[in-house]
Amino acid sequence: MSKKRVVHYINQFFAGVGGEEKADIQPEVKEETIGPGMAFNTAFKEEAEIVATIVCGDSYFNENVEKAQAEIIEMIKKYNPDLFIAGPAFNAGRYGVACGTIAKAVQDELGIPVLTGMYTENPGADMYKKSIYIIQTGNSAAAMRKAVPDMTNFALKLLKGEEIGSPAEDKYMSRGIRKNYFAEEKGSTRAVNMLVKKLKGEEYVTEYPMPDFDRVEPGAAIKDLSKAKIALVTSGGIVPKGNPDRIESSSASKYGRYDIADFAELTGDDHETAHGGYDPVYANTNPDRVLPVDVLRDLEKEGQIGELFRYFYSTVGNGTSVASSKAYAAEIAKELMANGVDAVILTST
């Protein structure tokens, strides 16, 4: 029996081309196994083989989605694969979004099974887990040894046309799909058994998990704004001209703190946006559209607020993971509180 044909997609880092400095490389195809592909091929044994590897820089893909997608689809077509695998991306945000985007495109346009793997907090997981199969991995490449067998086992199921089990059984992220099945015990018995386990403090698994909403209680209202110190924080990517901290256009790995003590307003001559997820023309022409320094200076002069804090904090929200965002927020909040800031205006795009 002939081996099933697989095409594998990886980014510049896992291809060994380079790091962030090579994130702008355009898609290229290599008729060999590279990086994680070698482990996949070994695990496939005689049942399947990677016939081509497509390498694309994370920045290039995310900043040229439609073009990159079309180029990669054409590359894949030539190999007539039975399966497409992307990643695994772990917790790399731009890589995860790229893997999810191209996998869904391949599924929709070529009609073949697709598979990727990533950490649960990767923004690509939230975007695509209901559309494609995503194997749940650890948050870094250190989890590769576990990710490869989990992805390989699932890939072989797809290639053989075997029935896919529950997310818990086959280790993929829940897609929100519910199926009818015949249980050995009736519902009332199962419910009582779960209740007894819960009362005893024993482990149990609900049959109907409820959505987990990350709700934040609003803070108390400021009693007197005329005496309040107000700070600006943005996920809209506003930075000094030239982006001195090299904040990425998507999946930001950092944030910046910038002094506006001497600015009555922001202009295109001194500030710009680093954000890659929206048309930057209007933000670059007048950065106050995203970060309203001009309006707050007016309110400061009119005595409606006490003062505008001399620094603003900025990052890019596009594709940035929840975990990273929470970490940035905790650090920024600590600095703001230490400087006696009473309230924050958080702007996006």
Side-chain angles (χ1 to χ4, degrees):
M1 189 177 81
S2 61
K3 292 181 181 180
K4 297 287 187 180
R5 299 166 63 81
V6 179
V7 171
H8 186 209
Y9 173 91
I10 53 177
N11 71 355
Q12 80 286 348
F13 176 79
F14 283 99
V17 176
E20 190 60 34
E21 77 283 358
K22 294 292 184 179
D24 59 349
I25 65 166
Q26 297 185 27
E28 58 180 320
V29 62
K30 298 177 182 291
E31 294 185 352
E32 58 182 308
T33 53
I34 304 171
M38 292 186 282
F40 283 129
N41 252 9
T42 300
F44 282 143
K45 297 180 180 177
E46 296 302 310
E47 299 185 80
E49 66 176 335
I50 293 173
V51 295
T53 303
I54 294 171
V55 180
C56 182
D58 287 334
S59 292
Y60 181 84
F61 189 97
N62 284 281
E63 293 173 11
N64 306 274
V65 176
E66 291 184 8
K67 185 172 185 286
Q69 191 170 287
E71 291 171 338
I72 293 168
I73 291 288
E74 288 305 310
M75 290 176 179
I76 295 169
K77 281 181 182 177
K78 296 176 184 177
Y79 295 93
N80 193 28
D82 301 294
L83 175 74
F84 176 76
I85 294 180
F90 304 106
N91 199 26
R94 285 177 300 163
Y95 189 21
V97 172
C99 285
T101 303
I102 192 60
K104 186 177 186 304
V106 170
Q107 176 179 267
D108 294 348
E109 296 185 35
L110 303 184
I112 63 172
V114 301
L115 177 66
T116 185
M118 59 187 84
Y119 184 55
T120 185
E121 290 190 0
N122 191 308
D126 270 343
M127 293 169 67
Y128 292 105
K129 66 184 178 183
K130 291 188 178 181
S131 305
I132 60 174
Y133 286 114
I134 302 177
I135 298 299
Q136 189 161 320
T137 72
N139 68 351
S140 73
M144 185 71 78
R145 286 188 178 182
K146 185 176 185 306
V148 167
D150 287 349
M151 290 179 70
T152 304
N153 291 339
F154 196 92
L156 291 173
K157 269 196 162 188
L158 289 174
L159 286 168
K160 294 174 184 177
E162 295 178 359
E163 184 177 352
I164 303 301
S166 68
E169 291 169 341
D170 284 329
K171 301 177 183 178
Y172 62 93
M173 295 185 188
S174 174
R175 304 174 75 189
I177 298 172
R178 298 163 70 188
K179 293 183 178 181
N180 292 328
Y181 70 97
F182 289 100
E184 293 181 6
E185 296 178 322
K186 59 185 179 181
S188 56
T189 302
R190 301 198 309 274
V192 169
N193 288 341
M194 276 193 283
L195 178 60
V196 170
K197 286 183 177 181
K198 183 174 183 179
L199 292 171
K200 289 182 176 179
E202 296 175 359
E203 186 176 346
Y204 68 95
V205 178
T206 179
E207 294 181 13
Y208 188 56
M210 301 302 292
D212 181 19
F213 296 108
D214 187 10
R215 298 190 184 278
V216 178
E217 289 296 324
I222 295 176
K223 293 180 180 179
D224 188 354
L225 274 173
S226 67
K227 296 178 181 176
K229 183 187 288 189
I230 309 295
L232 281 170
V233 178
T234 186
S235 60
I238 299 300
V239 292
K241 198 78 171 178
N243 189 11
D245 292 314
R246 297 292 183 265
I247 295 175
E248 299 89 345
S249 60
S250 67
S251 303
S253 66
K254 67 194 80 166
Y255 64 88
R257 185 184 77 158
Y258 306 110
D259 195 338
I260 47 172
D262 296 328
F263 288 91
E265 62 177 348
L266 305 184
T267 71
D269 294 329
D270 45 65
H271 287 79
E272 63 184 354
T273 182
H275 207 291
Y278 66 94
D279 185 344
V281 172
Y282 298 107
N284 286 338
T285 302
N286 182 3
D288 284 319
R289 287 178 167 130
V290 178
L291 197 78
V293 172
D294 54 348
V295 174
L296 284 161
R297 288 296 184 211
D298 289 342
L299 294 174
E300 191 178 42
K301 288 176 184 176
E302 295 165 7
Q304 294 194 48
I305 64 171
E307 64 175 296
L308 176 61
F309 184 50
R310 69 174 296 158
Y311 296 103
F312 76 88
Y313 295 79
S314 180
T315 190
V316 166
N318 178 35
T320 301
S321 71
V322 173
S324 294
S325 300
K326 286 183 175 179
Y328 303 159
E331 292 178 15
I332 293 169
K334 190 174 179 180
E335 286 194 27
L336 294 176
M337 292 173 70
N339 284 279
V341 171
D342 299 294
V344 173
I345 295 175
L346 177 62
T347 70
S348 59
T349 55

